[in-house]
Amino acid sequence: MHTFEFDGEKYKKASKHQKEWGNSLIGELTLKGHETILDLGCGDGRLTEQLAQLVPNGSVLGIDGSSGMIETAKQRSRYNLVFTQMDINRIHFHNEFNVIFSNATLHWIRDHKKLLYNSFMALKEGGMLLWDFAGDGNCSNFYEVVQEKIQDENYKPYFNNFEWPWYMPVKTDYEKSLLLLDLVDIT
Ligand SMILES: C[S@@+](CC[C@H](N)C(=O)[O-])C[C@H]1O[C@@H](n2cnc3c(N)ncnc32)[C@H](O)[C@@H]1O
């Protein structure tokens, strides 16, 4: 799996900002209550649980690659809310979801062409993607420092096999790539 390990219990206490972004994303949803929703990179499951509360007659599946996150998220499982450990790079659903939601996660996914194709396949007709992930310019000071240290002769040997793990596109480039794929309407 191309995933990383996180401590779900620590994340629960240290994810105030992610929850704020996620809440504003959830605020964009208008639901009837019977929808099926997939949450990509559900983390500790708190936002996934909120989604499940909005669809009492539907169902929500939260997936995450980290066993620590899934273990924590599973404590929130209920009749219409299931959590599974799964790599987002390997999703293969077909015609199953009305909404694919994702908050603060998809910058960890480097191949967005594949992600968009697999997501499109997973959506039911008329379904929607509702995603929020880091783009170009986010955390720029942090990345500058990291890049500088990676190049530093003292640290270089430790980064021989290091692959930059994040994909943070320029928003307009991403919009163009969506239009080229001809998969979705951007509203
Ligand atoms: C910052 S957390 C966001 C969690 C949650 N969506 C939230 O907003 O609180 C990013 C999550 O993405 C998950 N993740 C990163 N790469 C992944 C992959 N390839 N497959 C599945 N989960 C992945 C991590 O394990 C982590 O739980």
Side-chain angles (χ1 to χ4, degrees), residues 77-94:
S77 302
R78 43 185 264 169
Y79 75 96
N80 67 340
L81 175 58
V82 171
F83 294 98
T84 306
Q85 188 180 6
M86 195 185 290
D87 184 349
I88 294 167
N89 294 296
R90 293 165 188 251
I91 56 165
H92 292 293
F93 299 101
H94 185 66

Side-chain angles (χ1 to χ4, degrees), residues 64-113:
D64 201 286
S66 157
S67 57
M69 287 291 208
I70 285 294
E71 214 173 286
T72 298
K74 275 188 173 168
Q75 295 164 20
R76 301 176 191 271
S77 302
R78 43 185 264 169
Y79 75 96
N80 67 340
L81 175 58
V82 171
F83 294 98
T84 306
Q85 188 180 6
M86 195 185 290
D87 184 349
I88 294 167
N89 294 296
R90 293 165 188 251
I91 56 165
H92 292 293
F93 299 101
H94 185 66
N95 198 22
E96 283 187 48
F97 300 101
N98 299 106
V99 178
I100 303 183
F101 175 90
S102 187
N103 183 61
T105 293
L106 297 177
H107 43 272
W108 289 99
I109 305 301
R110 299 203 316 175
D111 186 349
H112 271 238
K113 197 173 171 189

Side-chain angles (χ1 to χ4, degrees), residues 146 149-151 155-163:
V146 174
K149 290 298 168 201
I150 289 175
Q151 297 308 320
Y155 299 111
K156 229 177 185 168
Y158 298 102
F159 289 95
N160 275 340
N161 298 314
F162 179 73
E163 281 183 48

Side-chain angles (χ1 to χ4, degrees), residues 13-14 30 46 48 68 76 120 131 140 156:
K13 294 182 196 132
T30 307
R46 171 128 161 251
T48 332
R76 301 176 191 271
F120 179 71
W131 295 353
S140 52
K156 229 177 185 168

Side-chain angles (χ1 to χ4, degrees), residues 4-160:
F4 299 87
E5 208 31 70
F6 294 90
D7 180 327
E9 293 303 321
K10 276 193 189 157
Y11 181 76
K12 219 158 112 176
K13 294 182 196 132
S15 51
K16 184 171 167 271
H17 296 301
Q18 286 85 345
K19 299 303 183 272
E20 281 169 8
W21 306 327
N23 278 320
S24 99
L25 199 59
I26 290 175
E28 291 182 28
L29 277 171
T30 307
L31 297 165
K32 294 198 170 99
H34 55 69
E35 289 84 353
T36 50
I37 304 178
L38 173 64
D39 183 5
L40 299 174
C42 61
D44 64 2
R46 171 128 161 251
L47 296 169
T48 332
E49 182 179 49
Q50 286 173 228
L51 291 169
Q53 285 161 355
L54 295 174
V55 291
N57 301 315
S59 63
V60 180
L61 171 63
I63 68 162
D64 201 286
S66 157
S67 57
M69 287 291 208
I70 285 294
E71 214 173 286
T72 298
K74 275 188 173 168
Q75 295 164 20
R76 301 176 191 271
S77 302
R78 43 185 264 169
Y79 75 96
N80 67 340
L81 175 58
V82 171
F83 294 98
T84 306
Q85 188 180 6
M86 195 185 290
D87 184 349
I88 294 167
N89 294 296
R90 293 165 188 251
I91 56 165
H92 292 293
F93 299 101
H94 185 66
N95 198 22
E96 283 187 48
F97 300 101
N98 299 106
V99 178
I100 303 183
F101 175 90
S102 187
N103 183 61
T105 293
L106 297 177
H107 43 272
W108 289 99
I109 305 301
R110 299 203 316 175
D111 186 349
H112 271 238
K113 197 173 171 189
K114 181 167 91 177
L115 171 67
L116 284 163
Y117 176 78
N118 287 339
S119 300
F120 179 71
M121 294 307 287
L123 280 180
K124 291 182 184 176
E125 201 181 328
M128 79 182 287
L129 308 177
L130 187 61
W131 295 353
D132 172 334
F133 61 95
D136 183 52
N138 285 138
C139 311
S140 52
N141 292 340
F142 170 69
Y143 295 131
E144 209 175 297
V145 173
V146 174
Q147 297 277 14
E148 198 184 298
K149 290 298 168 201
I150 289 175
Q151 297 308 320
D152 187 309
E153 288 307 323
N154 291 320
Y155 299 111
K156 229 177 185 168
Y158 298 102
F159 289 95
N160 275 340

